[in-house]
Amino acid sequence: MSAISVGQAVVLGVVEGVTEFLPVSSTGHLKITEGLMNIPVDDKSVVGFSAVIQVGAIAAVLVYFFKDIKRIVSAWFRGLTNKEERYHHDYKFAWWVIYATIPIVLVGLAAKPLIDGALGSLWVVGASLIVGSGVMWCADQMGRHKRGEDDTSFKDAMLVGCSQILALLFPGFSRSGATMSTALVLDLDRVAATRLSFFLGIPALTGAGIYELKDALGAGVGAAPLAVGTIVSFVVAYGSIAWLLKFVAKHSFNAFVIYRIVIGLAVFGLLATGTVNA
């Protein structure tokens, strides 16, 4: 039997789609949900399943930002053969995304045993949710929100890209939360910080999903649950992206900070009472 049923895949797909790009930790929410459904969070196939359905959410980014991505990729290809095009911001930005992805790939491969094991504990998730909320609140207060997307630099991309490592090592910290917080500290406005987080997540999350596919299929998750979870995450993530961009244009991140603290404390409560297994 599959380690995850089609019905459970639907639930996890919804959770992934809603939380992947919100700064609340999709990995943390998936692990919490898996724990509540008595799915072993440290099972190799379950870890693989979680990574694979992220591809559905990434596909939603590709569709939602298709015009932007097409413009950036086109500029990159033109710049490979045309020296003048290399001064264009889109050409430079494409390279920055590539360079900024390298650190998380290297750390992910080196630390995979820890990430799949001890660091995947729900105790780590709960603590990371709370600590990450403090980081996000401080970043939102410190940032001057004066720089737009066209003002981003190579330094911005590398610092924001490297911040993804925090979420990789500490599930619950949130990749979106880490990248957005770093961008806010660098004085990008909230919309620019959010969009930069989206673009930097494309290669990292796509690569992780492809890398984990063999483990998910080979270790106990059937093709049907994987397909259903991925499709559901795509549909839900598309709506989540549209909502988030409208929200951050007019609001601070305080609502997410409060939510993360509440969920983090709830995780500790569930663990302490034995309702879920770490």
Side-chain angles (χ1 to χ4, degrees):
M1 291 182 63
S2 173
I4 297 175
S5 69
V6 171
Q8 290 171 328
V10 171
V11 174
L12 294 173
V14 171
V15 172
E16 164 63 23
V18 170
T19 61
E20 179 58 56
F21 302 110
L22 301 186
V24 297
S25 176
S26 61
T27 302
H29 278 73
L30 284 172
K31 287 183 177 296
I32 293 168
T33 306
E34 289 161 359
L36 290 172
M37 292 193 296
N38 294 317
I39 298 172
V41 298
D42 59 347
D43 184 281
K44 191 175 182 179
S45 64
V46 175
V47 173
F49 173 87
S50 298
V52 171
I53 64 172
Q54 287 177 337
V55 177
I58 287 299
V61 173
L62 295 176
V63 173
Y64 192 90
F65 293 107
F66 178 75
K67 290 183 179 179
D68 294 308
I69 294 171
K70 180 182 178 181
R71 187 189 73 245
I72 293 169
V73 173
S74 297
W76 184 73
F77 276 110
R78 290 196 305 270
L80 294 177
T81 56
N82 188 329
K83 187 176 180 180
E84 293 183 1
E85 287 289 338
R86 296 171 191 169
Y87 295 99
H88 197 284
H89 184 270
D90 286 340
Y91 172 79
K92 295 177 182 178
F93 186 78
W95 275 116
W96 297 345
V97 170
I98 294 172
Y99 293 145
T101 302
I102 294 174
I104 191 173
V105 171
L106 295 177
V107 173
L109 292 174
K112 192 174 189 303
L114 280 175
I115 296 167
D116 292 348
L119 292 177
S121 167
L122 284 177
W123 287 108
V124 176
V125 170
S128 299
L129 278 165
I130 294 173
V131 173
S133 67
V135 172
M136 186 184 303
W137 183 83
C138 290
D140 205 13
Q141 298 301 309
M142 291 169 58
R144 290 179 286 179
H145 316 292
K146 66 177 184 178
R147 301 171 58 208
E149 188 174 343
D150 291 338
D151 299 318
T152 54
S153 65
F154 173 68
K155 176 183 175 183
D156 297 329
M158 288 303 297
L159 289 174
V160 173
C162 286
S163 70
Q164 296 178 108
I165 295 172
L166 285 171
L168 184 66
L169 296 178
F170 304 105
F173 201 95
S174 170
R175 190 202 65 83
S176 295
T179 52
M180 290 177 192
S181 295
T182 303
L184 289 173
V185 170
L186 295 170
D187 294 329
L188 269 69
D189 63 47
R190 295 186 182 98
V191 174
T194 303
R195 285 172 60 88
L196 181 58
S197 175
F198 285 144
F199 292 132
L200 286 174
I202 293 172
L205 295 178
T206 301
I210 294 173
Y211 181 82
E212 295 283 2
L213 180 59
K214 65 182 187 305
D215 289 338
L217 286 172
V221 175
L226 273 174
V228 170
T230 302
I231 292 170
V232 171
S233 73
F234 166 80
V235 174
V236 177
Y238 190 90
S240 180
I241 293 168
W243 177 84
L244 179 61
L245 287 171
K246 292 179 181 179
F247 181 86
V248 298
K250 298 180 180 180
H251 302 86
S252 71
F253 286 93
N254 288 345
F256 297 119
V257 170
I258 295 171
Y259 174 80
R260 289 171 60 104
I261 293 173
V262 172
I263 295 298
L265 292 174
V267 170
F268 286 146
L270 291 170
L271 290 169
T273 57
T275 305
V276 297
N277 190 306

